[in-house]
Amino acid sequence: MATTVDVQELEVKVKDMYRHVAEEPAGDYHFELGRPLAERLGYPGDALDGVPEGAVESFAGVGYFFDLAELRPGETVIDLGSGSGMDVFFAASQVGPEGRVIGIDFTAEQLAKSRRLAEEASLYQVEFREGRIEDVPAQDSSCDCVISNGVINLAPDKERVFAEAASVLRPGGRLAIADSLASGSSRRASAVTPPSGRSASAGPLRRSPTGA
């Protein structure tokens, strides 16, 4: 029997959970948070030193995918479900001042925190936009890489999320994600390239040979 999802109830629960993550990172949660988690997942410690501490303390990702993303100076990156901004800031260090990184999130407290941290760090190539990952507030074919960490599993319409990712990617663009699998606690990061001539549908997305 198929399980139905109350989308509004799910959204309320997700927003409430990540509001607490933004405001009370030292709280008691059913998942790990912070720098120890990031380092265990593979984030280099010296690189984390360059990320605002407030973003690192609220990090709740499930994997490290920047080796797959292969970001280059000057590129534009969109982070789906950017939270307090750790992956956005990490990406900004790789694309440099000539690049651009846009974080998408729908939790007001996460957006307020990430925007404040970006302003305090004078990271002007970083922007945080309010929105849903099923309806990304960005132009089609506007970015080189889409990233996401531990967020797509929370979306009730995952097919729509991947369609949106394909839509905002430029031809030859890349998708690099880490997420939890429904079959268990396995974690996985993949880099994929959208097929040429994509439409509003995600199409099939081809996994690169380097995908785990």
Side-chain angles (χ1 to χ4, degrees):
M1 183 176 180
T3 301
T4 58
V5 176
D6 186 322
V7 176
Q8 290 187 329
E9 181 181 357
L10 176 62
E11 180 175 319
V12 169
K13 288 181 177 179
V14 170
K15 283 186 173 181
D16 183 64
M17 178 170 61
Y18 286 101
R19 172 177 64 83
H20 284 91
V21 167
E23 298 180 336
E24 304 171 21
D28 186 17
Y29 302 98
H30 68 276
F31 48 85
E32 295 180 75
L33 282 178
R35 182 164 182 144
L37 167 63
E39 290 185 340
R40 183 175 63 77
L41 293 176
Y43 286 80
D46 57 346
L48 289 175
D49 290 339
V51 175
E53 184 177 352
V56 178
E57 69 180 6
S58 292
F59 173 70
V62 299
Y64 177 76
F65 50 70
F66 283 97
D67 53 339
L68 297 173
E70 297 182 335
L71 301 181
R72 296 180 282 272
E75 289 193 318
T76 297
V77 180
I78 293 178
D79 183 8
L80 303 181
S82 52
S84 291
M86 195 189 91
D87 281 334
V88 169
F89 297 127
F90 197 95
S93 70
Q94 297 190 346
V95 301
E98 300 303 317
R100 189 180 186 196
V101 187
I102 301 166
I104 310 296
D105 208 279
F106 72 175
T107 303
E109 291 78 9
Q110 294 276 37
L111 288 165
K113 183 173 185 177
S114 59
R115 288 166 176 167
R116 172 178 57 80
L117 293 170
E119 183 175 0
E120 290 174 353
S122 299
L123 292 171
Y124 303 115
Q125 76 271 44
V126 163
E127 177 186 358
F128 293 94
R129 298 179 183 175
E130 182 178 3
R132 288 167 171 74
I133 63 175
E134 300 94 340
D135 188 13
V136 179
Q139 292 184 342
D140 288 352
S141 303
S142 61
C143 76
D144 302 289
C145 186
V146 171
I147 62 175
S148 185
N149 201 338
V151 175
I152 296 175
N153 73 90
L154 299 172
D157 190 348
K158 296 169 181 58
E159 183 175 347
R160 177 69 180 273
V161 175
F162 284 104
E164 284 290 289
S167 178
V168 299
L169 282 170
R170 295 181 178 126
R174 305 170 319 272
L175 169 65
I177 64 172
D179 220 313
S180 300
L181 302 178
S183 59
S185 59
S186 299
R187 291 164 184 177
R188 188 178 194 101
S190 300
V192 296
T193 302
S196 59
R198 66 192 184 286
S199 65
S201 171
L205 291 176
R206 299 193 305 271
R207 181 166 302 178
S208 78
T210 59

